[in-house]
Amino acid sequence: MTVQFSPEALAEAGPSMRSIKLPEAHPPVKAGKIGVLLVNLGTPDATSYWPMRRYLREFLSDKRVIEWPKALWYPILYGIVLITRPKKSGKAYDEIWNKELDESPLRTITRSQSDKLAQMMGDHGGRLKIDWAMRYGQPSIRSRLEALKADGCDRILVFPLYPQYAASTTATVNDEVCRALLEMRWQPAIRTVPPYHDDPAYIEALSQSVERHLAGLDFEPDVILTSYHGIPQSYFKKGDPYHCHCMKTTRLMRERLGMSKEKLRVTFQSRFGPEEWLQPYTDKTVEALAKEGVKNIAVMNPGFVADCLETLEEIAGEAGEIFHENGGGEFTHIPCLNDSDLGMAVLEQVVQRELSGWL
C-alpha cells in the first residue's frame, strides 16, 4: 500500500520518505503529526433533569467508579439514583454554572487550558495539535481521538488531568482510549501521562498558589486543609495507590511551605453510598475544627486540576457553611491551579517531558 503524506509531514521527513513515488490517483492521507489530548472527568450539557440524568448514567455505570456487581448496583442505579439524583445534582450545578457561556466551569477551564497550552507550545510547523476531551459527556474521548487521527496525528499523548493516580479516574480514561482504539483499523501510537503527584513543578505551583492566596487575606488561617476526592476504603485495600499519592503531595507541600502536620492537614471529600471511604472526611473535619474553637481555616483541592462542582459548590460553598454554622470565623477556599500561569507552567512541563523523542 502506498500512502501520500501531508506536506507538513514530508517537510519534516527524511530524504527517503520525500522520494516515495505515489500513484497519480491515490487519495491524500494525512499523517506525520503529533497530538496531545487533555482529558478531564466530565460535565453535563445542561442542569435540567434529562441532561443531568444522561451524564450521571454514564458516570455511575462505569465499573471503575462503582465496583459493585451489576446485579446489585443496577437496580439501585436505575430504580432510585437516576430518578432522584438528577434534580438534586442539577440544582447544585446551577449554583456554579457559567451562565455567560451556558456551560460548567470545568468545561470552560479545560478548554482554556487546551487553548493556552497550544499557544505556549506552538504548532511546530503544523506538526503539533492540542485538543481536549471529557471522560463522561462531551466532547468524548473517542470523538477527539478520531478527529486528531483524521487530522494526521499518528502519535497521540493522552493526558488524564489527575495528578494522583486512581483506578476510578486515570485508569478509566485509559480504558476509554483503548476501547476507541479497538475500532480503529489504522491506530495511532499512544502514550499516556503518568501521575505527577510528586513532580517538583507541581509541588512548587501548589505552594506558590497558597502563598499568593494567603498574601491577599486580612487574616491568617489557623489550619489549612488539603481536601482530595475520596475513594472507598475497599479500593485502597485492593491496591489502589491513590491514598499514598495524596499523602505524599501534602507532605511535599509541608516541606516546601515549612508547615507542620497540624497546620497543613489531609482530608477526603465527596463520599457516596454506604461504604466506608478514605478518612478523615473533609466535612466532619471542618465541623470538628469549628467546635474545637479553631477560628480561621483555609481549604484547597490539590487533586483537582480545575475548579468544578466538587470544589466550588461542595468546598467553597457547603464546607464554608458548615464551618460558620458550628461557630467558626473566617473561611477561605484556595482556588485550583486552573489556567493560571502557575497551572499552565505545570501542564507545559509535563507535556514537554512526555513528548520526549517524539517532538
Side-chain angles (χ1 to χ4, degrees):
M1 177 180 177
T2 306
V3 178
Q4 180 176 342
F5 290 88
S6 65
E8 296 91 344
L10 290 174
E12 293 288 337
S16 61
M17 183 180 288
R18 289 196 293 267
S19 64
I20 293 176
K21 291 185 178 181
L22 304 171
E24 292 184 3
H26 194 284
V29 177
K30 292 183 178 180
K33 298 180 183 179
I34 298 167
V36 175
L37 187 64
L38 307 181
V39 184
N40 218 320
L41 179 74
T43 176
D45 295 321
T47 62
S48 54
Y49 180 85
W50 289 108
M52 284 302 315
R53 191 180 191 277
R54 285 194 299 271
Y55 170 70
L56 290 171
R57 180 181 60 195
E58 183 181 10
F59 176 45
L60 296 175
S61 62
D62 187 342
K63 65 180 182 180
R64 292 283 196 180
V65 175
I66 305 294
E67 295 186 2
W68 296 358
K70 288 184 179 180
L72 175 62
W73 171 234
Y74 272 30
I76 300 173
L77 176 63
Y78 287 92
I80 301 174
V81 176
L82 292 179
I83 294 174
T84 61
R85 196 170 181 87
K87 184 176 180 180
K88 180 180 178 181
S89 295
K91 183 179 179 181
Y93 266 100
D94 193 61
E95 293 179 10
I96 57 111
W97 202 250
N98 183 338
K99 299 298 197 302
E100 183 179 351
L101 297 178
D102 192 23
E103 62 185 19
S104 71
L106 187 66
R107 186 192 299 274
T108 304
I109 296 167
T110 306
R111 181 197 301 113
S112 179
Q113 289 170 329
S114 176
D115 292 344
K116 287 188 175 183
L117 185 61
Q119 294 173 1
M120 294 168 71
M121 296 192 65
D123 66 358
H124 289 258
R127 292 185 65 219
L128 182 64
K129 302 292 181 180
I130 297 177
D131 205 345
W132 61 283
M134 295 291 177
R135 171 60 185 90
Y136 313 102
Q138 300 300 324
S140 68
I141 292 173
R142 183 183 301 267
S143 69
R144 300 327 300 160
L145 284 176
E146 291 173 346
L148 286 170
K149 181 64 177 64
D151 197 31
C153 295
D154 48 28
R155 302 181 186 192
I156 299 176
L157 174 67
V158 178
F159 192 166
L161 293 172
Y162 309 108
Q164 297 79 19
Y165 177 96
S168 55
T169 53
T170 307
T172 191
V173 169
N174 296 337
D175 288 346
E176 188 64 16
V177 169
C178 292
R179 277 190 285 268
L181 292 177
L182 282 171
E183 299 182 9
M184 290 186 180
R185 176 166 295 278
W186 186 1
Q187 295 177 337
I190 295 290
R191 287 180 179 175
T192 61
V193 172
Y196 56 101
H197 60 287
D198 56 357
D199 188 297
Y202 166 64
I203 300 301
E204 180 63 25
L206 289 175
S207 300
Q208 285 195 35
S209 74
V210 172
E211 291 171 337
R212 290 183 183 183
H213 188 83
L214 298 187
L217 301 177
D218 59 2
F219 67 93
E220 173 69 25
D222 303 306
V223 174
I224 301 174
L225 301 181
T226 56
S227 179
Y228 298 88
H229 199 292
I231 61 171
Q233 285 276 7
S234 60
Y235 297 7
F236 171 60
K237 292 176 181 178
K238 290 176 182 178
D240 201 303
Y242 181 70
H243 179 266
C244 300
H245 286 187
C246 295
M247 298 300 287
K248 187 173 184 181
T249 295
T250 298
R251 176 175 63 79
L252 293 174
M253 286 182 62
R254 284 194 201 105
E255 294 173 2
R256 161 61 178 80
L257 292 166
M259 294 182 179
S260 66
K261 286 186 177 182
E262 290 70 32
K263 177 77 170 184
L264 189 63
R265 308 185 190 184
V266 176
T267 60
F268 297 92
Q269 64 182 87
S270 308
R271 62 190 183 276
F272 173 79
E275 283 193 74
E276 182 180 357
W277 283 46
L278 295 179
Q279 296 183 32
Y281 298 138
T282 300
D283 55 353
K284 298 299 183 183
T285 301
V286 168
E287 180 181 348
L289 287 172
K291 289 181 177 179
E292 291 167 5
V294 175
K295 290 302 180 184
N296 306 316
I297 68 170
V299 185
M300 66 183 301
N301 301 101
F304 294 83
V305 171
D307 276 308
C308 55
L309 184 72
E310 287 80 4
T311 69
L312 297 174
E313 194 271 341
E314 185 177 355
I315 299 301
E318 289 185 8
E321 291 177 1
I322 292 171
F323 188 64
H324 293 139
E325 289 171 358
N326 287 277
E330 297 289 349
F331 176 96
T332 185
H333 175 246
I334 302 173
C336 295
L337 294 176
N338 295 320
D339 58 352
S340 66
D341 58 335
L342 294 173
M344 294 310 305
V346 176
L347 297 184
E348 182 186 24
Q349 179 162 317
V350 172
V351 169
Q352 290 279 17
R353 180 179 65 238
E354 298 304 321
L355 286 178
S356 177
W358 278 7
L359 193 62

